Amino acid sequence: MSVKFPQECKMYPPIQPFNVGHLEVSSVHKIYFEQCGNKSGLPIVFVHGGPGGGFSPLDRRYFDPAAYHIILFDQRGAGKSTPAFSLEENDTWSLVADMEKLRVHLEADRWILFGGSWGSTLSLAYAEKHIDRVVAMILRGIFTIRDEEIQFFCQRGTSYIFPDLWEKFVAPIPENEHDDLVSAYYKRLTGSDEAERLRCAKAWCSWEMATIQLKVNPANLLIAENDTSALAFARIECHYFINKGFMEPNQLIDNAYIIRNAKIPVTIVHGRYDVVCPAKTAWDLYKQLPDAEFFFVDDAGHSAKETGITKKLVEASDKYKTLALKSVSSKKTPPRRVTCV
């Protein structure tokens, strides 16, 4: 699949990894990883969304390869990790442990966390458990997997904005189960009927891919056409939704004080018209991290492919590339700023 970013986004040119591999993280799972850029540079890890989304070669391009040791990995069951779309031993805290195993394996003392959507969720979870290993955080499309966020996207909220697409989303589910669509989908995505499982996976995936940008981008919909990608995305995401992220309600927001007290520099970028992860969540997080840089992008939805969001993410990575690992001890914090762009 070929997805192009607008020229004005000014991402870095395409690069190839200097190392790829699989890391065995349990008796069941091996996660795929890549290393790009400067092995001696400041480590930065790309934490993909979904969950179940995987990363693409385009995700290498937010970072200056001369300055950064760029690390990308596919989470359990996603992308090139094996086994594909497996739900066994697949939970938030296993993924956090995987990140720590990968950091040690790649000999990165500390790293910058760069996560969008579910990637912001996992980055927050990792930071709140391993704050001493975090240099800075760049977070986009904030998602904390609270019930109100899941309900807005999967039950009542986004449906009012995209009623035509919503009808396609609910079509595989009998009307008498429409009051709890996450449960209805989960039953089918984990059922024994392979045809129904794939049909529901494609419907789930198409709904999200159609709504992630301010305007429907046909290129996004191609993801749902690939059986393996659709099954990974839908099954794993629904698995996490029905299990409430394997966290206590509001856990990531409540525990954000750990990041604040450690004075970790944070940049938050969020589309004003994000209907997948509503802007309220980003604002709730920002209130707990008032020293963070905060950007509302006024002409964007959820996707990192939207010009304004891409621009801010690249700017943030360029800003933090000037950090040396020794600067962590200085505890410098960016000035408080809220910007709409």
Side-chain angles (χ1 to χ4, degrees), residues 139-154:
L139 304 175
R140 186 269 309 167
I142 307 303
F143 180 51
T144 61
I145 209 160
R146 296 178 297 181
D147 191 58
E148 66 186 66
E149 301 167 44
I150 297 170
Q151 288 294 309
F152 184 90
F153 184 61
C154 294

Side-chain angles (χ1 to χ4, degrees), residues 86-161:
S86 172
L87 305 182
E88 184 181 357
E89 295 182 11
N90 200 332
D91 63 83
T92 303
W93 304 108
S94 294
L95 301 189
V96 167
D98 292 351
M99 289 178 64
E100 186 60 3
K101 290 173 185 176
L102 182 63
R103 182 193 63 78
V104 172
H105 179 70
L106 299 181
E107 300 180 343
D109 183 40
R110 295 178 177 86
W111 53 9
I112 295 175
L113 304 176
F114 183 104
S117 192
W118 163 257
S120 73
T121 320
L122 187 55
S123 294
L124 288 165
Y126 176 90
E128 291 172 7
K129 189 171 181 65
H130 298 287
I131 195 65
D132 58 324
R133 296 302 177 183
V134 179
V135 176
M137 303 177 72
I138 302 171
L139 304 175
R140 186 269 309 167
I142 307 303
F143 180 51
T144 61
I145 209 160
R146 296 178 297 181
D147 191 58
E148 66 186 66
E149 301 167 44
I150 297 170
Q151 288 294 309
F152 184 90
F153 184 61
C154 294
Q155 199 64 50
R156 190 167 291 109
T158 307
S159 59
Y160 294 153
I161 302 169

Side-chain angles (χ1 to χ4, degrees), residues 53-252:
F55 72 87
S56 78
L58 286 165
D59 298 322
R60 306 166 185 156
R61 298 178 52 197
Y62 294 100
F63 320 108
D64 182 349
Y68 280 117
H69 175 192
I70 304 161
I71 300 165
L72 308 98
F73 72 102
D74 288 325
Q75 297 156 30
R76 295 188 181 199
K80 297 180 182 178
S81 292
T82 60
F85 52 82
S86 172
L87 305 182
E88 184 181 357
E89 295 182 11
N90 200 332
D91 63 83
T92 303
W93 304 108
S94 294
L95 301 189
V96 167
D98 292 351
M99 289 178 64
E100 186 60 3
K101 290 173 185 176
L102 182 63
R103 182 193 63 78
V104 172
H105 179 70
L106 299 181
E107 300 180 343
D109 183 40
R110 295 178 177 86
W111 53 9
I112 295 175
L113 304 176
F114 183 104
S117 192
W118 163 257
S120 73
T121 320
L122 187 55
S123 294
L124 288 165
Y126 176 90
E128 291 172 7
K129 189 171 181 65
H130 298 287
I131 195 65
D132 58 324
R133 296 302 177 183
V134 179
V135 176
M137 303 177 72
I138 302 171
L139 304 175
R140 186 269 309 167
I142 307 303
F143 180 51
T144 61
I145 209 160
R146 296 178 297 181
D147 191 58
E148 66 186 66
E149 301 167 44
I150 297 170
Q151 288 294 309
F152 184 90
F153 184 61
C154 294
Q155 199 64 50
R156 190 167 291 109
T158 307
S159 59
Y160 294 153
I161 302 169
F162 292 95
D164 50 340
L165 302 176
W166 178 255
E167 286 189 2
K168 296 179 181 179
F169 176 59
V170 301
I173 307 300
E175 190 171 352
N176 63 353
E177 296 183 60
H178 284 191
D179 287 343
D180 187 352
L181 288 164
V182 172
S183 294
Y185 261 100
Y186 186 73
K187 179 171 67 175
R188 290 161 176 82
L189 289 167
T190 58
S192 58
D193 186 330
E194 291 187 12
E196 182 177 55
R197 192 163 62 226
L198 183 58
R199 181 170 62 253
C200 287
K202 287 178 176 291
W204 178 285
C205 191
S206 294
W207 166 242
E208 186 156 340
M209 293 304 107
T211 54
I212 59 173
Q213 291 190 218
L214 207 56
K215 295 182 179 180
V216 178
N217 183 346
N220 294 329
L221 301 178
L222 296 176
I223 295 173
E225 294 181 9
N226 180 285
D227 292 359
T228 300
S229 296
L231 283 165
F233 190 90
R235 278 169 51 86
I236 296 173
E237 186 168 86
C238 194
H239 169 70
Y240 275 76
F241 284 9
I242 204 164
N243 286 290
K244 313 297 185 185
F246 303 91
M247 289 181 280
E248 295 299 318
N250 216 56
Q251 180 173 334
L252 296 179

